[in-house]
Amino acid sequence: MELLVPGHMSSERFDQAFFRREFKDGQTPRCDLIVCEGEVAVIELVLMNGKVLDINCFEEFRRGYLVATIFVDPPKCDQLYRSYVRYDAIFGVNVRRYQPEGRRLGFKRHKPMVEVLEPIARDE
């Protein structure tokens, strides 16, 4: 298992820039480390309250939060729900690998929508 952290400085945190960088174009982070044929990549968000969210895919990276589809019942992966997670609620991001017989479905590569703020035009 690999634990992703945003940086070594205490002022750095999980934010939109972190997720845009690590999950660029919906790819599994550090996918060059997850190249073993037959293994299934699983992404988990560990929240500040200790709850772990098993991610099916990231749908959107908004300015203050992300939108993800979450597995209800891993490792069966038969049911999903949509969750809106504030970045400041995220304690850690785990990248795990399973053999296919131990995990039917994993992280779905899906290019997330990114919310970009446009500058505000001011009347003079």
mmCIF file of all heavy atoms in Angstrom, residues 63-112:
data_model
loop_
_atom_site.group_PDB
_atom_site.id
_atom_site.type_symbol
_atom_site.label_atom_id
_atom_site.label_comp_id
_atom_site.label_asym_id
_atom_site.label_seq_id
_atom_site.Cartn_x
_atom_site.Cartn_y
_atom_site.Cartn_z
ATOM 1 N N ARG A 63 -13.443 23.782 -6.550
ATOM 2 C CA ARG A 63 -12.486 24.611 -5.826
ATOM 3 C C ARG A 63 -12.372 24.208 -4.362
ATOM 4 O O ARG A 63 -11.280 24.094 -3.825
ATOM 5 C CB ARG A 63 -12.859 26.079 -5.945
ATOM 6 C CG ARG A 63 -11.803 27.004 -5.404
ATOM 7 C CD ARG A 63 -12.130 28.409 -5.688
ATOM 8 N NE ARG A 63 -13.335 28.789 -4.978
ATOM 9 C CZ ARG A 63 -13.531 29.955 -4.412
ATOM 10 N NH1 ARG A 63 -12.617 30.879 -4.508
ATOM 11 N NH2 ARG A 63 -14.630 30.225 -3.784
ATOM 12 N N GLY A 64 -13.484 23.957 -3.678
ATOM 13 C CA GLY A 64 -13.440 23.643 -2.250
ATOM 14 C C GLY A 64 -13.699 22.187 -1.905
ATOM 15 O O GLY A 64 -13.572 21.793 -0.749
ATOM 16 N N TYR A 65 -14.067 21.385 -2.899
ATOM 17 C CA TYR A 65 -14.403 19.983 -2.634
ATOM 18 C C TYR A 65 -14.277 19.167 -3.913
ATOM 19 O O TYR A 65 -14.176 19.709 -5.006
ATOM 20 C CB TYR A 65 -15.821 19.863 -2.060
ATOM 21 C CG TYR A 65 -16.900 20.356 -2.997
ATOM 22 C CD1 TYR A 65 -17.549 19.483 -3.858
ATOM 23 C CD2 TYR A 65 -17.263 21.696 -3.025
ATOM 24 C CE1 TYR A 65 -18.537 19.939 -4.721
ATOM 25 C CE2 TYR A 65 -18.249 22.155 -3.883
ATOM 26 C CZ TYR A 65 -18.882 21.267 -4.731
ATOM 27 O OH TYR A 65 -19.850 21.718 -5.592
ATOM 28 N N LEU A 66 -14.282 17.853 -3.752
ATOM 29 C CA LEU A 66 -14.291 16.968 -4.914
ATOM 30 C C LEU A 66 -15.586 16.170 -4.917
ATOM 31 O O LEU A 66 -16.239 16.019 -3.885
ATOM 32 C CB LEU A 66 -13.063 16.053 -4.928
ATOM 33 C CG LEU A 66 -12.830 15.085 -3.775
ATOM 34 C CD1 LEU A 66 -13.663 13.820 -3.909
ATOM 35 C CD2 LEU A 66 -11.360 14.721 -3.724
ATOM 36 N N VAL A 67 -15.949 15.675 -6.089
ATOM 37 C CA VAL A 67 -17.125 14.824 -6.252
ATOM 38 C C VAL A 67 -16.611 13.469 -6.707
ATOM 39 O O VAL A 67 -15.844 13.376 -7.675
ATOM 40 C CB VAL A 67 -18.105 15.396 -7.296
ATOM 41 C CG1 VAL A 67 -19.337 14.505 -7.415
ATOM 42 C CG2 VAL A 67 -18.493 16.823 -6.952
ATOM 43 N N ALA A 68 -17.017 12.408 -5.993
ATOM 44 C CA ALA A 68 -16.539 11.066 -6.320
ATOM 45 C C ALA A 68 -17.684 10.071 -6.248
ATOM 46 O O ALA A 68 -18.653 10.272 -5.516
ATOM 47 C CB ALA A 68 -15.435 10.650 -5.359
ATOM 48 N N THR A 69 -17.547 8.995 -7.017
ATOM 49 C CA THR A 69 -18.441 7.855 -6.903
ATOM 50 C C THR A 69 -17.746 6.851 -6.001
ATOM 51 O O THR A 69 -16.582 6.515 -6.218
ATOM 52 C CB THR A 69 -18.727 7.235 -8.279
ATOM 53 O OG1 THR A 69 -19.231 8.246 -9.149
ATOM 54 C CG2 THR A 69 -19.744 6.115 -8.183
ATOM 55 N N ILE A 70 -18.456 6.392 -4.954
ATOM 56 C CA ILE A 70 -17.879 5.572 -3.898
ATOM 57 C C ILE A 70 -18.521 4.186 -3.899
ATOM 58 O O ILE A 70 -19.728 4.058 -4.080
ATOM 59 C CB ILE A 70 -18.139 6.221 -2.516
ATOM 60 C CG1 ILE A 70 -17.814 7.709 -2.515
ATOM 61 C CG2 ILE A 70 -17.436 5.469 -1.411
ATOM 62 C CD1 ILE A 70 -16.387 8.057 -2.681
ATOM 63 N N PHE A 71 -17.707 3.147 -3.658
ATOM 64 C CA PHE A 71 -18.243 1.799 -3.480
ATOM 65 C C PHE A 71 -18.863 1.674 -2.099
ATOM 66 O O PHE A 71 -18.255 2.068 -1.099
ATOM 67 C CB PHE A 71 -17.140 0.738 -3.613
ATOM 68 C CG PHE A 71 -16.631 0.551 -5.005
ATOM 69 C CD1 PHE A 71 -15.332 0.901 -5.325
ATOM 70 C CD2 PHE A 71 -17.431 0.009 -6.000
ATOM 71 C CE1 PHE A 71 -14.841 0.722 -6.613
ATOM 72 C CE2 PHE A 71 -16.960 -0.170 -7.280
ATOM 73 C CZ PHE A 71 -15.655 0.189 -7.599
ATOM 74 N N VAL A 72 -20.067 1.079 -2.034
ATOM 75 C CA VAL A 72 -20.746 0.849 -0.767
ATOM 76 C C VAL A 72 -20.208 -0.409 -0.096
ATOM 77 O O VAL A 72 -20.011 -0.448 1.111
ATOM 78 C CB VAL A 72 -22.278 0.691 -0.981
ATOM 79 C CG1 VAL A 72 -22.982 0.295 0.309
ATOM 80 C CG2 VAL A 72 -22.863 1.960 -1.548
ATOM 81 N N ASP A 73 -19.937 -1.433 -0.897
ATOM 82 C CA ASP A 73 -19.707 -2.776 -0.360
ATOM 83 C C ASP A 73 -18.440 -3.449 -0.889
ATOM 84 O O ASP A 73 -18.506 -4.543 -1.415
ATOM 85 C CB ASP A 73 -20.911 -3.646 -0.693
ATOM 86 C CG ASP A 73 -21.213 -3.641 -2.191
ATOM 87 O OD1 ASP A 73 -20.578 -2.877 -2.940
ATOM 88 O OD2 ASP A 73 -22.062 -4.432 -2.610
ATOM 89 N N PRO A 74 -17.269 -2.813 -0.758
ATOM 90 C CA PRO A 74 -16.067 -3.500 -1.217
ATOM 91 C C PRO A 74 -15.842 -4.755 -0.375
ATOM 92 O O PRO A 74 -16.204 -4.755 0.799
ATOM 93 C CB PRO A 74 -14.959 -2.479 -1.009
ATOM 94 C CG PRO A 74 -15.480 -1.520 -0.015
ATOM 95 C CD PRO A 74 -16.974 -1.542 -0.135
ATOM 96 N N PRO A 75 -15.294 -5.823 -0.903
ATOM 97 C CA PRO A 75 -14.760 -5.961 -2.251
ATOM 98 C C PRO A 75 -15.761 -6.428 -3.296
ATOM 99 O O PRO A 75 -15.392 -6.630 -4.449
ATOM 100 C CB PRO A 75 -13.670 -7.022 -2.053
ATOM 101 C CG PRO A 75 -14.212 -7.904 -0.992
ATOM 102 C CD PRO A 75 -14.986 -6.990 -0.063
ATOM 103 N N LYS A 76 -17.061 -6.625 -2.934
ATOM 104 C CA LYS A 76 -18.031 -7.063 -3.932
ATOM 105 C C LYS A 76 -18.272 -5.999 -4.993
ATOM 106 O O LYS A 76 -18.458 -6.318 -6.158
ATOM 107 C CB LYS A 76 -19.368 -7.437 -3.272
ATOM 108 C CG LYS A 76 -19.270 -8.661 -2.398
ATOM 109 C CD LYS A 76 -20.596 -9.153 -1.861
ATOM 110 C CE LYS A 76 -21.634 -8.097 -1.685
ATOM 111 N NZ LYS A 76 -22.859 -8.531 -1.042
ATOM 112 N N CYS A 77 -18.318 -4.734 -4.596
ATOM 113 C CA CYS A 77 -18.452 -3.599 -5.521
ATOM 114 C C CYS A 77 -19.727 -3.650 -6.337
ATOM 115 O O CYS A 77 -19.727 -3.380 -7.539
ATOM 116 C CB CYS A 77 -17.226 -3.515 -6.440
ATOM 117 S SG CYS A 77 -15.669 -3.458 -5.569
ATOM 118 N N ASP A 78 -20.832 -3.996 -5.699
ATOM 119 C CA ASP A 78 -22.099 -4.079 -6.415
ATOM 120 C C ASP A 78 -22.910 -2.792 -6.355
ATOM 121 O O ASP A 78 -23.777 -2.576 -7.184
ATOM 122 C CB ASP A 78 -22.959 -5.220 -5.844
ATOM 123 C CG ASP A 78 -22.379 -6.585 -6.154
ATOM 124 O OD1 ASP A 78 -21.667 -6.710 -7.177
ATOM 125 O OD2 ASP A 78 -22.624 -7.523 -5.376
ATOM 126 N N GLN A 79 -22.657 -1.936 -5.369
ATOM 127 C CA GLN A 79 -23.441 -0.719 -5.209
ATOM 128 C C GLN A 79 -22.526 0.485 -5.098
ATOM 129 O O GLN A 79 -21.423 0.401 -4.559
ATOM 130 C CB GLN A 79 -24.309 -0.811 -3.961
ATOM 131 C CG GLN A 79 -25.321 -1.930 -4.018
ATOM 132 C CD GLN A 79 -26.127 -2.003 -2.730
ATOM 133 O OE1 GLN A 79 -26.022 -1.130 -1.866
ATOM 134 N NE2 GLN A 79 -26.924 -3.037 -2.596
ATOM 135 N N LEU A 80 -23.012 1.625 -5.620
ATOM 136 C CA LEU A 80 -22.247 2.868 -5.612
ATOM 137 C C LEU A 80 -23.111 4.005 -5.072
ATOM 138 O O LEU A 80 -24.337 3.934 -5.110
ATOM 139 C CB LEU A 80 -21.813 3.243 -7.034
ATOM 140 C CG LEU A 80 -20.923 2.255 -7.779
ATOM 141 C CD1 LEU A 80 -20.846 2.630 -9.254
ATOM 142 C CD2 LEU A 80 -19.547 2.230 -7.162
ATOM 143 N N TYR A 81 -22.452 5.053 -4.592
ATOM 144 C CA TYR A 81 -23.146 6.286 -4.257
ATOM 145 C C TYR A 81 -22.226 7.452 -4.582
ATOM 146 O O TYR A 81 -21.015 7.296 -4.701
ATOM 147 C CB TYR A 81 -23.595 6.323 -2.791
ATOM 148 C CG TYR A 81 -22.483 6.354 -1.771
ATOM 149 C CD1 TYR A 81 -22.059 7.561 -1.212
ATOM 150 C CD2 TYR A 81 -21.854 5.181 -1.342
ATOM 151 C CE1 TYR A 81 -21.059 7.602 -0.260
ATOM 152 C CE2 TYR A 81 -20.851 5.213 -0.392
ATOM 153 C CZ TYR A 81 -20.451 6.423 0.142
ATOM 154 O OH TYR A 81 -19.457 6.455 1.074
ATOM 155 N N ARG A 82 -22.802 8.634 -4.749
ATOM 156 C CA ARG A 82 -22.035 9.849 -5.055
ATOM 157 C C ARG A 82 -21.795 10.603 -3.751
ATOM 158 O O ARG A 82 -22.680 10.742 -2.932
ATOM 159 C CB ARG A 82 -22.804 10.719 -6.027
ATOM 160 C CG ARG A 82 -22.102 12.051 -6.301
ATOM 161 C CD ARG A 82 -22.907 12.890 -7.216
ATOM 162 N NE ARG A 82 -22.446 12.601 -8.564
ATOM 163 C CZ ARG A 82 -22.960 13.152 -9.643
ATOM 164 N NH1 ARG A 82 -23.970 13.975 -9.544
ATOM 165 N NH2 ARG A 82 -22.469 12.886 -10.813
ATOM 166 N N SER A 83 -20.555 11.114 -3.605
ATOM 167 C CA SER A 83 -20.193 11.840 -2.392
ATOM 168 C C SER A 83 -19.491 13.142 -2.757
ATOM 169 O O SER A 83 -18.717 13.194 -3.708
ATOM 170 C CB SER A 83 -19.268 10.970 -1.533
ATOM 171 O OG SER A 83 -19.001 11.595 -0.300
ATOM 172 N N TYR A 84 -19.775 14.171 -1.981
ATOM 173 C CA TYR A 84 -19.136 15.480 -2.115
ATOM 174 C C TYR A 84 -18.239 15.641 -0.888
ATOM 175 O O TYR A 84 -18.739 15.727 0.233
ATOM 176 C CB TYR A 84 -20.187 16.588 -2.169
ATOM 177 C CG TYR A 84 -21.114 16.435 -3.356
ATOM 178 C CD1 TYR A 84 -22.154 15.500 -3.352
ATOM 179 C CD2 TYR A 84 -20.935 17.215 -4.484
ATOM 180 C CE1 TYR A 84 -22.990 15.364 -4.447
ATOM 181 C CE2 TYR A 84 -21.773 17.081 -5.590
ATOM 182 C CZ TYR A 84 -22.789 16.154 -5.551
ATOM 183 O OH TYR A 84 -23.615 16.012 -6.648
ATOM 184 N N VAL A 85 -16.929 15.671 -1.095
ATOM 185 C CA VAL A 85 -15.977 15.644 0.018
ATOM 186 C C VAL A 85 -15.151 16.928 0.028
ATOM 187 O O VAL A 85 -14.480 17.242 -0.967
ATOM 188 C CB VAL A 85 -15.036 14.423 -0.099
ATOM 189 C CG1 VAL A 85 -14.073 14.374 1.083
ATOM 190 C CG2 VAL A 85 -15.824 13.127 -0.224
ATOM 191 N N ARG A 86 -15.196 17.645 1.134
ATOM 192 C CA ARG A 86 -14.358 18.843 1.268
ATOM 193 C C ARG A 86 -12.898 18.415 1.361
ATOM 194 O O ARG A 86 -12.569 17.438 2.029
ATOM 195 C CB ARG A 86 -14.754 19.623 2.512
ATOM 196 C CG ARG A 86 -16.097 20.272 2.390
ATOM 197 C CD ARG A 86 -16.510 21.014 3.619
ATOM 198 N NE ARG A 86 -15.401 21.359 4.498
ATOM 199 C CZ ARG A 86 -15.554 21.809 5.727
ATOM 200 N NH1 ARG A 86 -16.753 21.945 6.231
ATOM 201 N NH2 ARG A 86 -14.510 22.109 6.472
ATOM 202 N N TYR A 87 -12.029 19.151 0.715
ATOM 203 C CA TYR A 87 -10.607 18.812 0.740
ATOM 204 C C TYR A 87 -10.044 18.821 2.159
ATOM 205 O O TYR A 87 -9.229 17.973 2.508
ATOM 206 C CB TYR A 87 -9.793 19.775 -0.134
ATOM 207 C CG TYR A 87 -10.114 19.674 -1.608
ATOM 208 C CD1 TYR A 87 -10.663 20.748 -2.291
ATOM 209 C CD2 TYR A 87 -9.857 18.511 -2.318
ATOM 210 C CE1 TYR A 87 -10.950 20.666 -3.648
ATOM 211 C CE2 TYR A 87 -10.143 18.419 -3.671
ATOM 212 C CZ TYR A 87 -10.686 19.499 -4.335
ATOM 213 O OH TYR A 87 -10.969 19.404 -5.668
ATOM 214 N N ASP A 88 -10.504 19.754 2.986
ATOM 215 C CA ASP A 88 -9.945 19.830 4.339
ATOM 216 C C ASP A 88 -10.411 18.693 5.245
ATOM 217 O O ASP A 88 -9.926 18.557 6.366
ATOM 218 C CB ASP A 88 -10.220 21.189 4.978
ATOM 219 C CG ASP A 88 -11.691 21.522 5.104
ATOM 220 O OD1 ASP A 88 -12.550 20.697 4.714
ATOM 221 O OD2 ASP A 88 -12.007 22.624 5.589
ATOM 222 N N ALA A 89 -11.331 17.850 4.768
ATOM 223 C CA ALA A 89 -11.770 16.681 5.524
ATOM 224 C C ALA A 89 -10.900 15.456 5.235
ATOM 225 O O ALA A 89 -11.041 14.427 5.893
ATOM 226 C CB ALA A 89 -13.228 16.352 5.194
ATOM 227 N N ILE A 90 -9.986 15.558 4.279
ATOM 228 C CA ILE A 90 -9.172 14.414 3.857
ATOM 229 C C ILE A 90 -7.878 14.375 4.652
ATOM 230 O O ILE A 90 -7.109 15.329 4.676
ATOM 231 C CB ILE A 90 -8.874 14.480 2.347
ATOM 232 C CG1 ILE A 90 -10.187 14.470 1.555
ATOM 233 C CG2 ILE A 90 -7.982 13.313 1.919
ATOM 234 C CD1 ILE A 90 -10.023 14.771 0.084
ATOM 235 N N PHE A 91 -7.638 13.242 5.303
ATOM 236 C CA PHE A 91 -6.422 13.031 6.073
ATOM 237 C C PHE A 91 -5.340 12.355 5.235
ATOM 238 O O PHE A 91 -4.165 12.663 5.363
ATOM 239 C CB PHE A 91 -6.733 12.172 7.302
ATOM 240 C CG PHE A 91 -5.528 11.841 8.118
ATOM 241 C CD1 PHE A 91 -4.933 12.797 8.928
ATOM 242 C CD2 PHE A 91 -4.970 10.572 8.085
ATOM 243 C CE1 PHE A 91 -3.814 12.499 9.677
ATOM 244 C CE2 PHE A 91 -3.850 10.271 8.834
ATOM 245 C CZ PHE A 91 -3.270 11.231 9.630
ATOM 246 N N GLY A 92 -5.737 11.401 4.382
ATOM 247 C CA GLY A 92 -4.762 10.662 3.578
ATOM 248 C C GLY A 92 -5.401 10.043 2.357
ATOM 249 O O GLY A 92 -6.626 9.932 2.260
ATOM 250 N N VAL A 93 -4.551 9.645 1.412
ATOM 251 C CA VAL A 93 -4.989 8.964 0.195
ATOM 252 C C VAL A 93 -4.154 7.692 0.079
ATOM 253 O O VAL A 93 -2.926 7.755 0.067
ATOM 254 C CB VAL A 93 -4.782 9.838 -1.062
ATOM 255 C CG1 VAL A 93 -5.221 9.097 -2.313
ATOM 256 C CG2 VAL A 93 -5.527 11.160 -0.928
ATOM 257 N N ASN A 94 -4.827 6.542 0.034
ATOM 258 C CA ASN A 94 -4.140 5.261 -0.104
ATOM 259 C C ASN A 94 -4.304 4.731 -1.521
ATOM 260 O O ASN A 94 -5.386 4.818 -2.098
ATOM 261 C CB ASN A 94 -4.710 4.221 0.859
ATOM 262 C CG ASN A 94 -4.506 4.585 2.305
ATOM 263 O OD1 ASN A 94 -3.486 5.164 2.670
ATOM 264 N ND2 ASN A 94 -5.466 4.250 3.137
ATOM 265 N N VAL A 95 -3.242 4.167 -2.050
ATOM 266 C CA VAL A 95 -3.282 3.451 -3.321
ATOM 267 C C VAL A 95 -2.946 2.005 -2.990
ATOM 268 O O VAL A 95 -1.836 1.705 -2.560
ATOM 269 C CB VAL A 95 -2.264 4.012 -4.332
ATOM 270 C CG1 VAL A 95 -2.344 3.237 -5.643
ATOM 271 C CG2 VAL A 95 -2.503 5.490 -4.571
ATOM 272 N N ARG A 96 -3.919 1.107 -3.162
ATOM 273 C CA ARG A 96 -3.728 -0.299 -2.823
ATOM 274 C C ARG A 96 -3.833 -1.137 -4.086
ATOM 275 O O ARG A 96 -4.444 -0.733 -5.062
ATOM 276 C CB ARG A 96 -4.781 -0.743 -1.813
ATOM 277 C CG ARG A 96 -4.753 0.112 -0.548
ATOM 278 C CD ARG A 96 -5.754 -0.335 0.444
ATOM 279 N NE ARG A 96 -5.312 -1.610 0.998
ATOM 280 C CZ ARG A 96 -5.993 -2.303 1.879
ATOM 281 N NH1 ARG A 96 -7.167 -1.884 2.284
ATOM 282 N NH2 ARG A 96 -5.532 -3.435 2.351
ATOM 283 N N ARG A 97 -3.229 -2.317 -4.020
ATOM 284 C CA ARG A 97 -3.283 -3.236 -5.159
ATOM 285 C C ARG A 97 -3.820 -4.579 -4.688
ATOM 286 O O ARG A 97 -3.424 -5.075 -3.637
ATOM 287 C CB ARG A 97 -1.893 -3.379 -5.763
ATOM 288 C CG ARG A 97 -1.427 -2.104 -6.423
ATOM 289 C CD ARG A 97 0.035 -2.136 -6.791
ATOM 290 N NE ARG A 97 0.935 -2.003 -5.648
ATOM 291 C CZ ARG A 97 1.198 -0.878 -5.006
ATOM 292 N NH1 ARG A 97 0.613 0.231 -5.368
ATOM 293 N NH2 ARG A 97 2.033 -0.847 -3.989
ATOM 294 N N TYR A 98 -4.726 -5.142 -5.475
ATOM 295 C CA TYR A 98 -5.330 -6.427 -5.169
ATOM 296 C C TYR A 98 -5.175 -7.351 -6.364
ATOM 297 O O TYR A 98 -5.177 -6.891 -7.510
ATOM 298 C CB TYR A 98 -6.840 -6.285 -4.906
ATOM 299 C CG TYR A 98 -7.200 -5.587 -3.634
ATOM 300 C CD1 TYR A 98 -7.353 -4.209 -3.587
ATOM 301 C CD2 TYR A 98 -7.419 -6.318 -2.470
ATOM 302 C CE1 TYR A 98 -7.707 -3.578 -2.413
ATOM 303 C CE2 TYR A 98 -7.775 -5.677 -1.299
ATOM 304 C CZ TYR A 98 -7.921 -4.310 -1.279
ATOM 305 O OH TYR A 98 -8.275 -3.672 -0.119
ATOM 306 N N GLN A 99 -5.131 -8.636 -6.103
ATOM 307 C CA GLN A 99 -5.241 -9.610 -7.177
ATOM 308 C C GLN A 99 -6.717 -9.657 -7.579
ATOM 309 O O GLN A 99 -7.597 -9.455 -6.733
ATOM 310 C CB GLN A 99 -4.772 -10.998 -6.718
ATOM 311 C CG GLN A 99 -3.275 -11.074 -6.471
ATOM 312 C CD GLN A 99 -2.476 -10.752 -7.731
ATOM 313 O OE1 GLN A 99 -2.817 -11.206 -8.829
ATOM 314 N NE2 GLN A 99 -1.433 -9.953 -7.593
ATOM 315 N N PRO A 100 -7.010 -9.885 -8.870
ATOM 316 C CA PRO A 100 -8.404 -9.839 -9.342
ATOM 317 C C PRO A 100 -9.367 -10.725 -8.562
ATOM 318 O O PRO A 100 -10.517 -10.346 -8.353
ATOM 319 C CB PRO A 100 -8.303 -10.298 -10.793
ATOM 320 C CG PRO A 100 -6.904 -10.011 -11.188
ATOM 321 C CD PRO A 100 -6.077 -10.159 -9.942
ATOM 322 N N GLU A 101 -8.925 -11.879 -8.094
ATOM 323 C CA GLU A 101 -9.847 -12.752 -7.360
ATOM 324 C C GLU A 101 -10.216 -12.156 -6.000
ATOM 325 O O GLU A 101 -11.247 -12.478 -5.441
ATOM 326 C CB GLU A 101 -9.273 -14.159 -7.183
ATOM 327 C CG GLU A 101 -7.981 -14.234 -6.404
ATOM 328 C CD GLU A 101 -6.737 -14.065 -7.253
ATOM 329 O OE1 GLU A 101 -6.833 -13.772 -8.448
ATOM 330 O OE2 GLU A 101 -5.636 -14.218 -6.684
ATOM 331 N N GLY A 102 -9.393 -11.252 -5.480
ATOM 332 C CA GLY A 102 -9.676 -10.626 -4.201
ATOM 333 C C GLY A 102 -10.465 -9.345 -4.324
ATOM 334 O O GLY A 102 -11.009 -8.842 -3.355
ATOM 335 N N ARG A 103 -10.550 -8.830 -5.523
ATOM 336 C CA ARG A 103 -11.236 -7.552 -5.734
ATOM 337 C C ARG A 103 -11.733 -7.495 -7.169
ATOM 338 O O ARG A 103 -10.954 -7.407 -8.095
ATOM 339 C CB ARG A 103 -10.245 -6.407 -5.450
ATOM 340 C CG ARG A 103 -10.744 -5.046 -5.742
ATOM 341 C CD ARG A 103 -11.837 -4.643 -4.764
ATOM 342 N NE ARG A 103 -12.362 -3.355 -5.149
ATOM 343 C CZ ARG A 103 -12.426 -2.313 -4.357
ATOM 344 N NH1 ARG A 103 -12.012 -2.397 -3.115
ATOM 345 N NH2 ARG A 103 -12.920 -1.194 -4.774
ATOM 346 N N ARG A 104 -13.040 -7.529 -7.347
ATOM 347 C CA ARG A 104 -13.628 -7.584 -8.679
ATOM 348 C C ARG A 104 -13.441 -6.283 -9.451
ATOM 349 O O ARG A 104 -13.098 -6.287 -10.623
ATOM 350 C CB ARG A 104 -15.113 -7.926 -8.555
ATOM 351 C CG ARG A 104 -15.728 -8.504 -9.786
ATOM 352 C CD ARG A 104 -17.056 -9.171 -9.480
ATOM 353 N NE ARG A 104 -18.004 -8.300 -8.822
ATOM 354 C CZ ARG A 104 -18.813 -7.449 -9.433
ATOM 355 N NH1 ARG A 104 -18.791 -7.348 -10.738
ATOM 356 N NH2 ARG A 104 -19.636 -6.696 -8.763
ATOM 357 N N LEU A 105 -13.688 -5.142 -8.813
ATOM 358 C CA LEU A 105 -13.593 -3.854 -9.485
ATOM 359 C C LEU A 105 -12.706 -2.914 -8.699
ATOM 360 O O LEU A 105 -12.694 -2.935 -7.474
ATOM 361 C CB LEU A 105 -14.990 -3.210 -9.622
ATOM 362 C CG LEU A 105 -15.988 -3.936 -10.504
ATOM 363 C CD1 LEU A 105 -17.346 -3.277 -10.384
ATOM 364 C CD2 LEU A 105 -15.528 -3.937 -11.942
ATOM 365 N N GLY A 106 -11.995 -2.045 -9.416
ATOM 366 C CA GLY A 106 -11.130 -1.078 -8.759
ATOM 367 C C GLY A 106 -11.413 0.333 -9.223
ATOM 368 O O GLY A 106 -12.513 0.659 -9.655
ATOM 369 N N PHE A 107 -10.400 1.164 -9.175
ATOM 370 C CA PHE A 107 -10.512 2.562 -9.548
ATOM 371 C C PHE A 107 -10.772 2.688 -11.041
ATOM 372 O O PHE A 107 -10.076 2.105 -11.855
ATOM 373 C CB PHE A 107 -9.208 3.280 -9.168
ATOM 374 C CG PHE A 107 -9.209 4.738 -9.479
ATOM 375 C CD1 PHE A 107 -9.977 5.619 -8.746
ATOM 376 C CD2 PHE A 107 -8.434 5.236 -10.511
ATOM 377 C CE1 PHE A 107 -9.968 6.975 -9.021
ATOM 378 C CE2 PHE A 107 -8.414 6.590 -10.802
ATOM 379 C CZ PHE A 107 -9.182 7.457 -10.047
ATOM 380 N N LYS A 108 -11.800 3.437 -11.389
ATOM 381 C CA LYS A 108 -12.162 3.644 -12.792
ATOM 382 C C LYS A 108 -11.459 4.888 -13.307
ATOM 383 O O LYS A 108 -11.610 5.976 -12.749
ATOM 384 C CB LYS A 108 -13.681 3.815 -12.902
ATOM 385 C CG LYS A 108 -14.167 4.070 -14.300
ATOM 386 C CD LYS A 108 -15.674 4.259 -14.298
ATOM 387 C CE LYS A 108 -16.171 4.671 -15.655
ATOM 388 N NZ LYS A 108 -17.604 4.988 -15.622
ATOM 389 N N ARG A 109 -10.701 4.735 -14.356
ATOM 390 C CA ARG A 109 -10.016 5.880 -14.954
ATOM 391 C C ARG A 109 -11.030 6.703 -15.735
ATOM 392 O O ARG A 109 -11.635 6.235 -16.683
ATOM 393 C CB ARG A 109 -8.897 5.401 -15.872
ATOM 394 C CG ARG A 109 -7.817 4.694 -15.113
ATOM 395 C CD ARG A 109 -6.760 4.180 -16.023
ATOM 396 N NE ARG A 109 -5.744 3.498 -15.241
ATOM 397 C CZ ARG A 109 -4.624 3.061 -15.740
ATOM 398 N NH1 ARG A 109 -4.357 3.220 -17.016
ATOM 399 N NH2 ARG A 109 -3.753 2.462 -14.967
ATOM 400 N N HIS A 110 -11.218 7.906 -15.276
ATOM 401 C CA HIS A 110 -12.243 8.781 -15.835
ATOM 402 C C HIS A 110 -11.731 10.205 -15.686
ATOM 403 O O HIS A 110 -11.374 10.623 -14.589
ATOM 404 C CB HIS A 110 -13.542 8.573 -15.045
ATOM 405 C CG HIS A 110 -14.593 9.586 -15.298
ATOM 406 N ND1 HIS A 110 -15.303 9.627 -16.464
ATOM 407 C CD2 HIS A 110 -15.057 10.596 -14.529
ATOM 408 C CE1 HIS A 110 -16.177 10.637 -16.389
ATOM 409 N NE2 HIS A 110 -16.037 11.236 -15.230
ATOM 410 N N LYS A 111 -11.664 10.941 -16.770
ATOM 411 C CA LYS A 111 -11.154 12.311 -16.689
ATOM 412 C C LYS A 111 -12.153 13.177 -15.940
ATOM 413 O O LYS A 111 -13.265 13.408 -16.398
ATOM 414 C CB LYS A 111 -10.907 12.875 -18.081
ATOM 415 C CG LYS A 111 -10.253 14.236 -18.048
ATOM 416 C CD LYS A 111 -9.834 14.692 -19.401
ATOM 417 C CE LYS A 111 -9.103 16.010 -19.288
ATOM 418 N NZ LYS A 111 -8.537 16.417 -20.545
ATOM 419 N N PRO A 112 -11.780 13.664 -14.747
ATOM 420 C CA PRO A 112 -12.705 14.473 -13.963
ATOM 421 C C PRO A 112 -12.855 15.879 -14.531
ATOM 422 O O PRO A 112 -11.945 16.413 -15.141
ATOM 423 C CB PRO A 112 -12.059 14.539 -12.582
ATOM 424 C CG PRO A 112 -10.740 13.885 -12.687
ATOM 425 C CD PRO A 112 -10.550 13.384 -14.062
#
